[in-house]
Structures are given as C-alpha cells and as structure tokens.
Amino acid sequence: MKIGRQERRSSAISTSNAETILVRGRDLARELVGKIGFTEHFWLLVTGAMPSSAQRRVLDATLVAIAEHGLVPSVQASRMTLAAAPEALQGAVAAGILGCGSVVLGSSEAAGRFLAEIQARAAAGADLESAASAVVREYRAAKSAIPGYGHPLHRGGDPRALRLFEVAAETGVAGPHVAIATLVERLLPGLIGRPLALNVSGAIPAVLLDAGYPLTGLKGVPLLARTAGLIAHLVEEQQRAIGFVMSHAAAQAIDYDGEAPAGFKPSEEA
Amino acid sequence: MKIGRQERRSSAISTSNAETILVRGRDLARELVGKIGFTEHFWLLVTGAMPSSAQRRVLDATLVAIAEHGLVPSVQASRMTLAAAPEALQGAVAAGILGCGSVVLGSSEAAGRFLAEIQARAAAGADLESAASAVVREYRAAKSAIPGYGHPLHRGGDPRALRLFEVAAETGVAGPHVAIATLVERLLPGLIGRPLALNVSGAIPAVLLDAGYPLTGLKGVPLLARTAGLIAHLVEEQQRAIGFVMSHAAAQAIDYDGEAPAGFKPSEEA
Amino acid sequence: MKIGRQERRSSAISTSNAETILVRGRDLARELVGKIGFTEHFWLLVTGAMPSSAQRRVLDATLVAIAEHGLVPSVQASRMTLAAAPEALQGAVAAGILGCGSVVLGSSEAAGRFLAEIQARAAAGADLESAASAVVREYRAAKSAIPGYGHPLHRGGDPRALRLFEVAAETGVAGPHVAIATLVERLLPGLIGRPLALNVSGAIPAVLLDAGYPLTGLKGVPLLARTAGLIAHLVEEQQRAIGFVMSHAAAQAIDYDGEAPAGFKPSEEA
Amino acid sequence: MKIGRQERRSSAISTSNAETILVRGRDLARELVGKIGFTEHFWLLVTGAMPSSAQRRVLDATLVAIAEHGLVPSVQASRMTLAAAPEALQGAVAAGILGCGSVVLGSSEAAGRFLAEIQARAAAGADLESAASAVVREYRAAKSAIPGYGHPLHRGGDPRALRLFEVAAETGVAGPHVAIATLVERLLPGLIGRPLALNVSGAIPAVLLDAGYPLTGLKGVPLLARTAGLIAHLVEEQQRAIGFVMSHAAAQAIDYDGEAPAGFKPSEEA
C-alpha cells in the first residue's frame, strides 16, 4: 500500500553498471579504493563531499574516542547473543547496536540538538550566556536530562572529552559549538545545583558541528565506532567464550520475589 | 543458569578507572585519540597490535570497496525500517546489518575459509593446483557455492576485486592467498564448466589474509564497512523519504495466488 | 560500571530449580502446559494474573486482527533479510520486528496514551467532549498526528476496528476507552477539518484498556501478533523466494540523481 | 540488481482492498477476529489450513512450555537494551530474539531435522533402532551435538518435555516422532557413554511433527513463544529497572588480563 507522501523517488548516493560503481559521483574502484581512507569515505558517503584534512582528523578522533569502553551493556548483549547463536555474527553485532540508545551511547545526537539550539538563538541575536541558560532551564522544565553532561564513572571529567577539545584546537576547527559546550559546563552548577562534567557524547557533536559535519548524521558516529568495538569483542568471544559467564553472574545478582509454593527452593546456580 | 564451559573469565580489550580508559593496553585519550586514524584503531581493537602502514592501507582499501553499492536488499530493509520507526536510527542500522548474511555481503568469511583451506593443504606439501582443484570439487560435492566468485551484475569481472589486487601489489602484501584466488579463477571453467570471476567478497579475504589480518575477523570487515553505507542512506532517508516508495513498488511486483471469494478484487495500490 | 539507580534487584516473573520451573508463581509443567492456551499465558506473563474469559477473548481478537496485512514494509524487510542470510531465521524475524515503530504498527501504545489522557481528564471531572477536544488540539499544536486514526488503504473505515468494537460489546468489556475512541472519530472533522476513521491501532488500545490490560504492555500486542505473521512469511520465503524479486522491483522504482561522468549509463537492471 | 532466480512472483498469505483484508483466503474481520484464538490463527498463517482441536492444543502446549524460563541470556540482552534505549521497545524485543540461536532456544528446528531424518530412514524400510543409532553416530562423527538432549539445569529430565509427551498422548497425536525421541533417549547412554535426558527443544518438534505441523516452521515456535516472555520482561523492566544492575554484575565477573601501565588500578566498580 502507499504509505505517506511519495513525491521523492531518487537517491544521490550510488549507481552502477556492469563495469563501474559510482559512489557520490566518483568511480569507486578507480578513484576511491586504495586512494582514500575509510574515514574520508564515511565523510564522503554522508555528506557528498570529500573532507578537508582537518575535518578528517576530527572525525577520526571522535570515532577512535567512542569505539570502545569495555564490557558495557551493548557489548554484553552482543557477546551473549553470539554465545547463543554463533551461526550469525551479524545478529550479535545487531544486538549490540540496538543498545546505542538515548540513555547510553546514542546521546551524541541529542547533545548536538541541544548545542545547535543554543547556537541558533545566539545567531539570531541573543546573548550567548542567556541563550544557554534559557535552553538548560527549558530542558529542566521538560524533565529532560542535559544531554552530553555527566558520566557514571568519569565524574571528575571525561578524559575523551578533554582530548577531543585539544584536537579541535590543534586542527583549528574549534568554534561556536565548542565554546557553547564549555560555557554550559561552567553554568551548570548555578543552574542545576551541582557540577556535571562534559562527557564524550557532548564533546563529539561540539567538535563535529564546528567541523561542518551535519547534525542529522551525528548518531551515525557512535554507531559506526561502536560497531568496530563490537567486532573486536566478538572475535575475542570466539576464542574465549565469556558470554554465558557474564549471563550467569548477571542472573545471580537478581532475586525472585514473586509467589512460590511453600518450601520451593530456587537453584543456587540459577 | 550455567550454560557450557565457564573456565575463561577474562577479556584483554579494555579496562578503565575514573581518570583513564585503557584500550589494548594504550591510554585511549592520551595515546590514541587524535593520534591514530579509525582504520588503525579497528585493526588495533581486533588484533591487539598496531598495523603497519601497508596493513592499514590494505584494510582501508577493503573497507572503502565494500561500504556501498546502491539500493541493495540490506539498504532497502534499513530505509524501510527507518520510515516505519524513525524514533530509533539504531534499529534501522541493525535491520540493515542483519542482511549481511551468507548469501549477500557476508561471504567474505566463507571465502576466507575456502582460500585458507587450500593454503593449508599447500603448506602441508600438496601441489597448489591439485589442492585448489580438490577443495573446489569438495565444495561442489557438498552442493556449496564457491564463495567469492560470481556476481549478479559484474559478470565480466568485479572492478573492486581487480583494484584490491592492485593495492595488494602496490603495498607489497600480495602473497599466497592472492595467488590462490587468482589460480582458482583460472581453474573454475575447467572444474565447473563455466567461468566465474572473482568478486569483491573473494578479493577481500585474499588481500587481508596476506596482510596478516585474522580469519575470525573477516566478517567484521563488510559489517563495519556497510554500517558506514547504511548511515549515509539513513541520513538521506531523513531528508528524502523513499522507504515507503520502494515498499510500494516491491509489493506491486508480487501477485496474490491464494484463495479468494468469487469476485474479490485486490486493491490496485496494494 | 554502575549506570543509573540500582536499588531494585528482583524480578517476579520466573524462577526454577532442577525439577520445577515457576512462572508467575505457577508450576509451569504441572499447572500451565496443556491446561491453558498461549493467549492466556501471555496475559499471565504480562500481568501476573490469569485473564477472565472475556479478557482472553478480547486479547485473542486484537492479536488475530493485527497479525497480518500482506507485504507491508516490515514483512518485506524480513523476507529480504532471510534471502540474504538464510542461516539465521531469528535475524529475519528481528529485522521485521524493528519496523514495528511509531509510524507503522507500533502506534497502539501511542493511541493508548492518547485515549488514557482523555479518560484521566474525564475521571478528574472534565466534560468528556471538552477533554477530548482539548487533547486533540494539544496534539495538533505539538504537530503530532492523532494516533489511531486514518489508514492509507482503509480510508472509509478499518474493518478490523469495527469488528474489535463488536467483540468488545459481545464480551461486555466495552467501556470508557471505546466510548472515547468513538467520540474522537465523531469530533475529528470539526477539529481538524476532515474525517479520519479509527484504525486497528486505535481500536486495539480502546478494547484492551477497557478489558483491564495494562497501558505499558500495549506495544507488546502488535509486536507479538506480527511475529506470527512474519514467521508465516518466512516459512513461505523458504519455499518460494520473493525477497530478491521485491528488492529488484524496489530498486527500479528509484532513480539516481547524483553526479555522474558524461556518458555514464546505469545498468537497466540495477 | 537481480540476485538469484526470480521465477516465483507470488504469495498466498494475504491480500486486501479498501473494504476487506483476506488472510489465507478468509475475510479477516468477518471470519477470524473474535471467532478464532491466536494459536489457531498462527497455525492458519503458517500452514494455510485451520488446525483440529488436537493440533491447536498441542501447539498451545509447546508455546506455553517454551515462552519463559527466567533471566536467560536472551532476556538479559533484551532488558539491557531497553535500559539503554527506552525509546524503542521493538529494538529490545529484537535484541532478545537474536539470541534464539543454534545453541540456546533455537534448537527445536535442528532437533526436528534429527528426528525427521531417523523417521525418513525408518519409512524407507530401515529398522528403527538401527536408523536411530546410525544417525546418532553420524552426528557424533561430524562433531555435532545431538539436538534436543541435555540441559544445563534440568539434568535429571526436563519437566516440560515430560509434560508435552503427556499432552501428545492425551490428545491422541503421539506418533512416530515421539516414539523416536523416546527411543533415542534410551539409546544414548550406549551410544555416547552417558545419559542425556530429552529437553523441551527435543520434545517440541516430536509432538508438533506428529501433530502435522511443518518442519520448516519449527523454529517459529520458540521465536513466537519467547517474544511473549520478552514482552513480559520489558513491561517489568519499565517498572523496576534491573538491566543495568545485571550489566554491572556481569562486568564484575570478568577480569581484564591485557597489558596495562605499571601501577594502573581498574575501577572497583567497572
């Protein structure tokens, strides 16, 4: 059935014939393979244009920063899935990717929208500090967390965020979004009553938006980066299987508090 | 419950404390972010060691080669999923990744096992041509396709495969697996009665195994690469929605041939 | 790492030992298997209590109503995924389920929240028609669609919605949410300027909320039901493969409008 | 592009027009909704015919038996995914379903193929015990587990398997596949040197194949059933969040044994 509007019937990413594959207008085999790196190719795919050297360096830095952080929930889900279904590595990767959500890992895009909203008000003539304070207050009134601030482990400051800002400075891309992210960190204690350090998911959109990367592609950065980390974990899982070890420990941490017949004793192993 | 053996209880990929994140023994923020590219980081994550310049170039070439090839089934599944569930970009990426299977996209690993089997027999003393012929015949006897050969569009030769072999030669990594892949292409007409050109999924394992990339990580290459292509398509889908257009065309290509009451007329739109 | 609050450390759904599996306090093998139907079991699993006969009939009716509607986008995604990755039926089911989103199939929960909001205002003393009009206007002001109304094919009325209301009447469960759903349908022309018939995703929450099924479990109904339809399609796909046929037709419906070298001619097949 | 053969261009499951939805030739709204239960509808969807009362009872029994078994890996993956990405319930269900694989939960189909192979040899004239012994030996020679036997918790016998055989006897469907499943259990100690009790994934195909359910649809039974259990867990997760509690416990069970700078101390929480 026809669902929704269907006026647009074209795509500008790739086409091909028997001899040639075009990607963003370039001959894939002759102009791209062996000539550009994967990070440049990702920028080209998403934006349609080749990145400058500074843009490529900033994108590389964000992808490296967010690719891996140990046995986080998405990695555990992925390794447990491979242990249960070793016939389909793609299924285990998919299970991990599904955990790149609004609470964990996926907040880069939300943080980007937060920074862009402040920047839009400043660009429209508002005083930057007033704009930032207003947007923070609106998030609080809507009972939304301030995206990109605070981390359960790195409470004193996320070392990846600090380093990304250094890279933005080194490459000369640091601009208004980095400034806003820093300003908000300074304002937060006064606005919400406690300090919250910028985290990697706040730093990524700050440096990428300043580098000219599009807001709508921000969530793709943690998704692509984490896929690399997941693959490394799944290669390790094939050699040393810990998926079911983690599952056993996880189950033991939870009690059953539903009804049970008198005298029923749960398995100590379960 | 305890499922399977549980002796191994460790991981060697990452650990952290409040100040520092270690990835493969390196300080992520201080030693890696801004200093290495994403492709090097992927190699480090999977193998535990930094790639040489030639290894990095070959891995880059394979990732660029396989990232995108237009509106293939996995891309369609991904764009339709985003159209139906725009609240979860990660779900649309996952739907696309699930199509990296044994028939489409995921055959790099199967092709790697095929090449490695021939190489193992040659290393054990067999004549290379005899080993290759024997393994091809065994696949045919088991009614398995020869993985890495033939392409529905690029019947005269996959331009990506040819280019990857040039890159392997340029970087000096070309070795036994590239030689085997070429030999098999030459032998196939005599063994199966028709020519089948090496495709990109056959060339990827040939050049990567020669470069020292591990067999167990081969499937990760198309998975990571295609994630980049999927993200580009999903960014485009947000701006020009064609997911439901494709779905409508797909439904129109299929007739209903089940029972129906006399006089029932299906919707022309459906 | 510890993410978020972690005070609750228990579950009330199931526990077991070597001899016995308890589900919601019942002995699964002795009290449930062979004694209750799957629909009753689903109600028990979600709510912790056995359904009345009327509750079971209404839940059955909703599951039957939403299980299948032909080659919709989620079914296409699922069949294409199986064609590409036949080694993992679970991956093809997952790809289909990922399309149960806010736009297609997943709107039962959103419609439930819409009806429950009107009901809450009426329960707090508001006039029902005023409450309904106010909530509709608030959705319009927020540029949200009115969930549960309108259908791309069944413009004159969704036959499943009408039938579900009959079942609710027959079983005696019809109550305030059914009344609200009907009232809103009557009010919509005056409020938004055109008629929009109640669809199956609006009728499902109306009858289920009236039957005492919980709001938080509403999205589970289309998800469970559609899984049944997906499995039927995947069984058929194994016998008559149309996944790639649909994909070919879908690709042909879309033009490439990006850059191309002079004289480049896309494959007519692509 | 055109992938594979594309001769078949039809489907027999469902069609529709503006007034009527046909499912397997029946008018969905007028003939099915409110008149048949979901289990009958599932049988109808998969096979194209309505089940007998005995067939429906046996299918119900298998779905109830396999729907839920506590905090198993797929449930943990699902709950962790919802904790990380609460915006997409369908993503959390998908993550759980991806764990219905060849090792856990998905072995009903493999067990069905095992039983059907023995039955086919007996039907072709072989002595039943010889056929069973031969097939077991072939699985062992191929280093495959005997699917449907053994359970990590229910070592003395899976109470669900025993109960399913009672239901098959009560309904009169018990036939050759149940007999083969019982025979193999008796033969296993002699063939593999230790007893292995039939488990639920072995009993499900035995009773369903005897009831006339198709082999190609067997994997759909645990998939559909477990979707019900996953939804119950996700409804509970929304009220008492234990996804991150389980993740923390799982991470603590695993040590980091990679390289680290002298003096590096991992977080006790991580």
Side-chain angles (χ1 to χ4, degrees):
Chain A
M1 66 195 76
K2 278 191 189 163
I3 309 174
R5 291 192 183 157
Q6 306 209 335
E7 298 93 347
R8 296 302 301 264
R9 308 184 72 88
S10 62
S11 172
I13 297 177
S14 179
T15 188
S16 56
N17 59 29
E19 293 78 33
T20 304
I21 300 160
L22 292 187
V23 173
R24 291 297 192 184
R26 275 85 169 174
D27 184 320
L28 172 61
R30 290 172 196 84
E31 295 180 66
L32 301 176
V33 175
K35 303 215 169 134
I36 66 171
F38 182 52
T39 302
E40 288 162 290
H41 195 55
F42 177 55
W43 186 290
L44 172 65
L45 279 165
V46 170
T47 69
M50 289 294 294
S52 70
S53 168
Q55 288 173 322
R56 197 265 304 149
R57 282 188 61 199
V58 169
L59 180 55
D60 261 329
T62 59
L63 290 166
V64 170
I66 195 73
E68 172 60 27
H69 196 320
L71 296 168
V72 295
S74 57
V75 168
Q76 295 180 15
S78 186
R79 292 185 78 143
M80 289 182 194
T81 301
L82 190 72
E87 70 275 19
L89 194 86
Q90 72 272 21
V93 173
I97 278 178
L98 288 167
C100 292
S102 56
V103 173
V104 173
L105 257 174
S107 49
S108 282
E109 186 185 355
R113 294 195 185 282
F114 168 78
L115 299 174
E117 174 65 26
I118 297 172
Q119 165 63 4
R121 296 192 192 184
D127 168 75
L128 193 60
E129 191 161 327
S130 308
S133 300
V135 174
V136 169
R137 280 195 208 97
E138 288 165 23
Y139 272 65
R140 298 281 287 178
K143 306 200 176 188
S144 302
I146 308 302
Y149 292 85
H151 193 279
L153 177 61
H154 308 295
R155 295 207 185 84
D158 185 329
R160 299 165 295 180
L162 303 173
R163 179 63 189 136
L164 286 176
F165 277 17
E166 287 176 13
V167 173
E170 289 167 17
T171 53
V173 311
H177 297 91
V178 164
I180 290 167
T182 307
L183 171 66
V184 169
E185 194 180 39
R186 184 165 59 73
L187 295 175
L188 277 179
L191 290 165
I192 66 168
R194 64 192 169 114
L196 271 183
L198 185 73
N199 63 35
V200 70
S201 294
I204 285 174
V207 302
L208 283 175
L209 290 173
D210 277 347
Y213 185 88
L215 184 57
T216 54
L218 278 176
K219 195 163 181 180
V221 171
L223 280 166
L224 180 64
R226 199 46 66 108
T227 300
L230 290 170
I231 290 164
H233 277 281
L234 295 173
V235 169
E236 190 185 66
E237 180 71 20
Q238 293 177 63
Q239 283 139 18
R240 46 168 116 176
I242 60 168
F244 290 147
V245 176
M246 292 192 290
S247 174
H248 180 231
Q252 283 191 306
I254 306 298
D255 296 320
Y256 174 73
D257 68 353
E259 288 175 62
F264 179 84
K265 217 178 140 222
S267 163
E268 280 173 26
E269 281 185 13
Chain B
M1 66 194 78
K2 276 191 190 164
I3 308 175
R5 291 191 184 157
Q6 306 210 336
E7 298 93 347
R8 297 300 303 264
R9 309 184 72 89
S10 63
S11 171
I13 298 176
S14 179
T15 188
S16 56
N17 60 27
E19 293 78 33
T20 304
I21 300 160
L22 292 187
V23 173
R24 291 296 192 184
R26 275 84 170 174
D27 184 319
L28 172 61
R30 290 171 196 84
E31 294 179 65
L32 301 176
V33 175
K35 304 215 167 134
I36 66 171
F38 182 50
T39 303
E40 289 162 289
H41 194 55
F42 178 54
W43 185 290
L44 172 66
L45 280 164
V46 170
T47 69
M50 290 294 294
S52 70
S53 168
Q55 289 174 322
R56 196 264 306 149
R57 281 188 61 198
V58 169
L59 179 56
D60 261 330
T62 60
L63 290 166
V64 170
I66 195 72
E68 172 61 28
H69 196 321
L71 296 168
V72 295
S74 58
V75 168
Q76 294 180 16
S78 185
R79 292 185 78 143
M80 288 181 195
T81 302
L82 190 72
E87 70 275 19
L89 195 86
Q90 72 272 21
V93 172
I97 278 178
L98 288 167
C100 293
S102 56
V103 173
V104 174
L105 257 175
S107 49
S108 282
E109 186 185 355
R113 295 195 184 281
F114 169 78
L115 300 174
E117 174 65 24
I118 297 171
Q119 164 63 4
R121 295 192 193 185
D127 168 73
L128 192 60
E129 193 162 325
S130 308
S133 300
V135 173
V136 169
R137 280 196 207 97
E138 288 165 23
Y139 272 66
R140 298 281 288 179
K143 306 201 174 186
S144 300
I146 308 302
Y149 292 86
H151 193 279
L153 178 60
H154 307 295
R155 295 206 184 85
D158 185 330
R160 299 164 294 180
L162 302 172
R163 179 62 190 137
L164 286 176
F165 277 17
E166 288 176 11
V167 173
E170 289 166 18
T171 52
V173 311
H177 297 91
V178 164
I180 291 168
T182 306
L183 171 66
V184 169
E185 193 180 38
R186 185 164 61 72
L187 295 175
L188 278 179
L191 290 166
I192 67 168
R194 64 190 170 115
L196 271 184
L198 184 74
N199 64 35
V200 69
S201 294
I204 286 174
V207 302
L208 282 176
L209 291 173
D210 276 347
Y213 185 87
L215 184 57
T216 54
L218 278 177
K219 195 162 180 179
V221 171
L223 281 167
L224 180 64
R226 199 47 66 107
T227 301
L230 290 171
I231 290 164
H233 277 281
L234 296 173
V235 169
E236 190 185 65
E237 180 71 20
Q238 292 177 64
Q239 283 139 18
R240 44 168 118 176
I242 60 168
F244 290 147
V245 177
M246 292 192 290
S247 173
H248 181 231
Q252 282 191 307
I254 307 298
D255 295 322
Y256 174 73
D257 67 355
E259 288 176 61
F264 180 83
K265 219 178 138 224
S267 164
E268 281 172 26
E269 281 185 14
Chain C
M1 66 194 76
K2 276 192 191 165
I3 308 174
R5 290 189 186 161
Q6 305 209 335
E7 298 93 345
R8 296 301 301 263
R9 309 183 72 87
S10 62
S11 172
I13 297 176
S14 179
T15 189
S16 56
N17 60 29
E19 293 79 31
T20 304
I21 300 160
L22 291 186
V23 173
R24 291 297 192 183
R26 275 85 170 173
D27 184 319
L28 172 61
R30 289 171 197 85
E31 294 179 65
L32 301 176
V33 175
K35 304 217 168 132
I36 65 170
F38 182 51
T39 303
E40 288 162 291
H41 195 55
F42 178 53
W43 185 290
L44 173 65
L45 279 165
V46 169
T47 70
M50 290 294 293
S52 70
S53 168
Q55 289 173 323
R56 196 263 306 148
R57 282 188 61 198
V58 169
L59 180 55
D60 261 330
T62 59
L63 290 166
V64 171
I66 195 74
E68 173 60 27
H69 198 317
L71 295 168
V72 294
S74 57
V75 168
Q76 295 180 14
S78 185
R79 291 185 77 143
M80 289 181 194
T81 302
L82 190 71
E87 69 276 20
L89 194 86
Q90 71 273 20
V93 172
I97 278 178
L98 288 167
C100 293
S102 56
V103 172
V104 174
L105 258 174
S107 48
S108 282
E109 186 185 354
R113 293 195 185 283
F114 169 77
L115 299 174
E117 174 64 25
I118 297 172
Q119 165 62 2
R121 295 193 193 183
D127 168 73
L128 192 60
E129 192 161 326
S130 307
S133 300
V135 174
V136 170
R137 278 194 209 98
E138 288 164 23
Y139 273 66
R140 298 283 287 179
K143 306 203 175 185
S144 301
I146 308 302
Y149 292 87
H151 193 279
L153 177 60
H154 307 294
R155 295 206 185 84
D158 186 329
R160 300 165 292 181
L162 302 172
R163 179 63 189 135
L164 285 176
F165 277 17
E166 288 176 12
V167 173
E170 289 166 17
T171 52
V173 312
H177 297 91
V178 165
I180 291 167
T182 307
L183 171 66
V184 169
E185 194 180 37
R186 184 165 61 73
L187 295 175
L188 278 178
L191 290 166
I192 68 170
R194 64 192 169 114
L196 270 184
L198 184 73
N199 62 35
V200 70
S201 296
I204 286 173
V207 302
L208 283 175
L209 291 173
D210 277 346
Y213 185 88
L215 184 58
T216 54
L218 279 176
K219 196 163 181 180
V221 172
L223 281 166
L224 180 64
R226 201 44 67 106
T227 300
L230 290 171
I231 290 164
H233 278 281
L234 295 173
V235 170
E236 190 184 67
E237 180 72 19
Q238 293 177 63
Q239 283 140 17
R240 44 169 119 177
I242 59 168
F244 291 148
V245 177
M246 292 192 291
S247 175
H248 181 230
Q252 283 191 307
I254 307 298
D255 296 321
Y256 174 74
D257 68 354
E259 287 176 61
F264 179 84
K265 220 180 136 216
S267 163
E268 281 172 25
E269 281 184 15
Chain D
M1 64 195 78
K2 277 192 190 164
I3 309 174
R5 291 190 184 159
Q6 306 209 336
E7 298 93 346
R8 296 299 305 263
R9 308 183 72 88
S10 63
S11 171
I13 297 176
S14 179
T15 188
S16 57
N17 59 29
E19 294 77 33
T20 304
I21 300 160
L22 291 187
V23 173
R24 291 296 192 184
R26 275 85 170 172
D27 184 319
L28 173 61
R30 290 171 197 86
E31 295 179 64
L32 301 176
V33 174
K35 304 215 168 133
I36 65 171
F38 182 51
T39 303
E40 289 162 290
H41 195 55
F42 178 53
W43 185 291
L44 173 65
L45 280 164
V46 170
T47 69
M50 289 294 294
S52 70
S53 168
Q55 289 173 323
R56 196 263 305 147
R57 282 188 61 199
V58 169
L59 180 55
D60 261 330
T62 60
L63 290 166
V64 171
I66 195 72
E68 172 61 27
H69 196 320
L71 295 168
V72 294
S74 58
V75 168
Q76 294 180 14
S78 185
R79 292 185 77 143
M80 288 181 194
T81 302
L82 190 72
E87 70 276 20
L89 195 86
Q90 71 271 21
V93 173
I97 277 179
L98 288 167
C100 293
S102 56
V103 173
V104 174
L105 257 174
S107 49
S108 282
E109 186 186 355
R113 293 193 185 283
F114 168 77
L115 299 174
E117 174 65 23
I118 297 172
Q119 165 63 3
R121 295 191 193 186
D127 168 73
L128 193 60
E129 192 161 326
S130 308
S133 299
V135 174
V136 169
R137 280 195 208 97
E138 288 165 24
Y139 272 66
R140 298 282 287 179
K143 307 201 175 190
S144 300
I146 308 301
Y149 293 86
H151 193 279
L153 178 60
H154 308 294
R155 296 205 183 85
D158 186 329
R160 300 165 293 179
L162 302 173
R163 178 65 189 134
L164 286 176
F165 277 16
E166 288 176 11
V167 173
E170 289 166 17
T171 52
V173 311
H177 297 92
V178 164
I180 291 167
T182 307
L183 172 66
V184 169
E185 194 181 38
R186 184 164 61 73
L187 294 175
L188 278 179
L191 290 166
I192 67 169
R194 64 191 170 116
L196 270 184
L198 184 73
N199 63 35
V200 70
S201 295
I204 285 173
V207 302
L208 283 176
L209 291 174
D210 277 346
Y213 185 88
L215 184 57
T216 54
L218 279 176
K219 195 163 182 179
V221 171
L223 281 166
L224 180 64
R226 199 46 66 107
T227 301
L230 291 170
I231 290 164
H233 277 283
L234 296 173
V235 169
E236 190 184 67
E237 180 71 20
Q238 292 176 64
Q239 282 138 20
R240 44 168 117 176
I242 61 169
F244 291 147
V245 176
M246 292 192 291
S247 174
H248 182 231
Q252 283 191 308
I254 307 298
D255 295 321
Y256 173 75
D257 67 354
E259 289 176 60
F264 180 83
K265 220 180 136 218
S267 164
E268 282 171 27
E269 283 185 14

